[in-house]
Amino acid sequence: MRQPAIRRRIALTGVAALIAALLLIRLPVSAEPQLELDDDVHSVLEKSLSVVEIDKEIGRIQEEKQTLLATMTDTEQQLAAQQEKIESKREQAGSVLRAYYMGERDFLFTALLSANSLPDLFQIIDYVDILLTHDKHTLNSYAEQYEKVKAGYEQLKDRQAALSDLEDRLQTQRSRVLALEAQLDEQLAGRSDAERLRLMMNELTSFWETAGLKEVKQYFRELSKAMQKLPSWVQDNKSYLEIEGFNYTLRVPQDDLNAFLREQNDMFERFAFTFADNKVTATGKRDNMELSITGTYTVQDKPKNGIIFHVEELLFNGFALPDTTRSSLEEEFDLGFYPGLIISFLKAKSVEIKDGELIVKLSINL
C-alpha cells in the first residue's frame, strides 16, 4: 500500500517549522482536553486519528490473512497426502467388494458345510473370521480416509470463504483511509495554518498511541473484571431480583451500579455510568484525559446466554474513535453480564434501560 500522503507530509515536517509552531501553540491538544476548537480544526484532528486507527485495523487484517493463508497451505498439503493414501485404500476396497460381488468368497461357506469333524469346523471358522475381519478393516480404512478427505475439503472451503471476507474487509478499510486522507488534503489545502494543524495532528496521534489507548484499555480491562463480579454482588443483594412465579426481573439502579464499581477499583471514583434513552453512557476523567463510552445491551444466546454490551460511540478528549477501534475493544474485553452465574437455571429474555435502571427480564432455562 502506498505511503498515505497526509502521514508522509507530517513525517517530513522540518525541525525549524516544529520549533516555530510550538512557540505559537501554548495549549497543546494532548495536555488540554478542555481546549475549545472550531469545527473545522476538530474535524481535521478527528479524521487524522481515524486514519491512524483504521491503519491499525488494516495491519490486523493483513496479519489475520497471512495466518489464514498459512493454515490453508497446511490443509492443502494434508489433503494431498490423504489423497495418496485414499487411492491405495480405494483399490483395496474395490478388490474386496468385487470379490463379494463376483462370488469369490462363496467358497468360505462351502468349506463350512464340508467340514468332516468338529475340530475341522472350528479351524475353518477361525480362517473365515480372519478373512472377514481383514475385509472389514480394509473397507473401514477406506471409509475413514474418505471422511478425512471430505472433511478436509469442507475445512478448506470454509477458509476460502473466510479469506474472501478478509479481502473484502481489507479493501473496505483501505478505501476508507484513502477517502479520509483525500478529505484531509482538501481541508488543509489553502489554509494559512495548515502546518500548525499538521503538528497538532501529529501531537494528538502521538498522545493517543503513547498514553490514550493505554488509558482506554485500562478502563475496559477494569470494567470487564468488575462485570465478572456482578453476579456474585447480585447474589449478595437479593433486593435487586424480583420473582413472580417462574419469571424473574433484575433491576439495577445506576447509582447502585456506580457504588458497586467504586468498591471494585478506586479509578472508578472518577468514572460514572448514566442510564438514559435506552443507552448506557460511561464517562471519566483522569490525568488530562477524558473518556466517554456510549452503548447498548442486547440479549445473546450463543455461545452462552447473557446480555452483551455494544460500544456505539467512544470519545477520547472529545474526539470520536472509528468503529474499528470500538470493535477491537469489544473483542478484547468482555463487558457482558451472564445471569446463569447468579442462578444456574436463569436465562436472559430481554434487557432495557428505563428511568435510570438497567432492567433484565429473566426466565428459567429448561
Side-chain angles (χ1 to χ4, degrees):
M1 180 175 144
R2 71 177 181 83
Q3 179 72 19
I6 194 67
R7 280 167 288 151
R8 183 169 61 249
R9 290 176 187 173
I10 294 173
L12 294 177
T13 301
V15 175
L18 175 63
I19 295 172
L22 289 176
L23 291 174
L24 296 174
I25 304 172
R26 297 298 183 185
L27 296 174
V29 176
S30 62
E32 299 291 342
Q34 72 275 14
L35 175 65
E36 291 188 7
L37 304 171
D38 65 54
D39 291 343
D40 287 344
V41 172
H42 188 279
S43 174
V44 166
L45 294 175
E46 191 168 87
K47 285 174 183 174
S48 70
L49 197 56
S50 290
V51 166
V52 171
E53 284 299 288
I54 296 173
D55 244 2
K56 289 180 185 176
E57 177 67 8
I58 290 173
R60 284 192 291 267
I61 294 173
Q62 287 174 328
E63 288 181 8
E64 192 176 344
K65 177 183 173 182
Q66 291 304 313
T67 301
L68 183 57
L69 286 171
T71 62
M72 287 176 68
T73 299
D74 289 342
T75 302
E76 288 169 346
Q77 291 173 347
Q78 292 170 13
L79 280 173
Q82 288 169 2
Q83 285 283 15
E84 291 180 6
K85 290 180 181 179
I86 202 173
E87 287 302 322
S88 63
K89 298 294 182 183
R90 181 184 289 116
E91 292 178 8
Q92 295 172 15
S95 296
V96 171
L97 293 174
R98 280 194 302 272
Y100 282 100
Y101 181 75
M102 300 298 292
E104 295 175 10
R105 294 288 190 267
D106 291 350
F107 75 91
L108 297 174
F109 303 102
T110 302
L112 285 170
L113 295 173
S114 63
N116 295 320
S117 65
L118 200 57
D120 288 344
L121 178 62
F122 286 144
Q123 188 175 8
I124 293 170
I125 288 174
D126 287 341
Y127 176 73
V128 170
D129 183 58
I130 291 171
L131 189 57
L132 293 179
T133 299
H134 178 268
D135 289 346
K136 183 180 179 183
H137 176 73
T138 299
L139 294 173
N140 285 343
S141 293
Y142 170 72
E144 288 173 6
Q145 289 296 328
Y146 175 80
E147 288 300 324
K148 284 183 180 179
V149 171
K150 183 179 176 182
Y153 275 111
E154 287 298 321
Q155 189 179 64
L156 188 60
K157 183 179 177 182
D158 291 342
R159 287 175 177 171
Q160 285 172 336
L163 181 62
S164 177
D165 178 62
L166 283 176
E167 292 284 7
D168 290 343
R169 285 170 53 195
L170 195 58
Q171 184 59 44
T172 298
Q173 301 306 340
R174 282 173 172 165
S175 297
R176 290 179 68 186
V177 165
L178 290 174
L180 282 170
E181 288 175 339
Q183 292 172 23
L184 283 170
D185 281 336
E186 184 178 347
Q187 285 181 276
L188 291 172
R191 288 189 64 123
S192 59
D193 60 349
E195 204 61 48
R196 173 177 176 270
L197 284 179
R198 289 192 184 97
L199 287 167
M200 292 176 70
M201 290 158 58
N202 195 34
E203 184 191 42
L204 175 61
T205 297
S206 177
F207 184 60
W208 164 250
E209 293 187 320
T210 57
L213 183 57
K214 181 180 178 181
E215 182 77 0
V216 169
K217 286 193 172 186
Q218 178 68 9
Y219 272 111
F220 271 80
R221 185 177 295 108
E222 294 306 320
L223 280 172
S224 180
K225 290 179 182 178
M227 292 305 291
Q228 291 175 25
K229 297 178 182 178
L230 191 60
S232 298
W233 179 70
V234 173
Q235 283 182 329
D236 295 336
N237 296 271
K238 293 291 197 306
S239 60
Y240 298 117
L241 199 59
E242 301 173 359
I243 303 175
E244 270 186 52
F246 294 109
N247 294 313
Y248 295 71
T249 302
L250 175 66
R251 296 177 180 273
V252 181
Q254 66 179 34
D255 291 342
D256 292 18
L257 180 61
N258 286 320
F260 161 73
L261 289 173
R262 286 159 190 160
E263 289 174 4
Q264 308 309 307
N265 195 304
D266 290 342
M267 71 183 298
F268 293 121
E269 292 293 338
R270 298 171 297 278
F271 198 83
F273 275 86
T274 303
F275 298 155
D277 301 324
N278 219 28
K279 292 184 182 295
V280 180
T281 299
T283 56
K285 180 179 179 180
R286 185 173 73 163
D287 299 334
N288 290 322
M289 287 183 277
E290 294 180 6
L291 178 65
S292 176
I293 308 165
T294 300
T296 57
Y297 278 107
T298 61
V299 175
Q300 167 190 280
D301 284 320
K302 293 181 179 180
K304 66 177 179 178
N305 178 264
I307 60 169
I308 306 303
F309 187 70
H310 305 281
V311 183
E312 295 184 346
E313 183 182 63
L314 175 62
L315 300 178
F316 172 73
N317 281 4
F319 298 104
L321 278 301
D323 58 313
T324 54
T325 307
R326 302 197 306 266
S327 297
S328 177
L329 290 168
E330 277 187 32
E331 289 177 12
E332 187 174 354
F333 303 104
D334 183 6
L335 303 185
F337 171 72
Y338 303 96
L341 297 178
I342 303 174
I343 303 175
S344 61
F345 55 78
L346 287 183
K347 176 182 178 181
K349 290 196 306 181
S350 66
V351 58
E352 66 174 330
I353 304 295
K354 185 178 180 182
D355 299 329
E357 287 185 322
L358 172 65
I359 305 170
V360 185
K361 297 288 185 180
L362 308 166
S363 65
I364 295 177
N365 186 18
L366 299 176

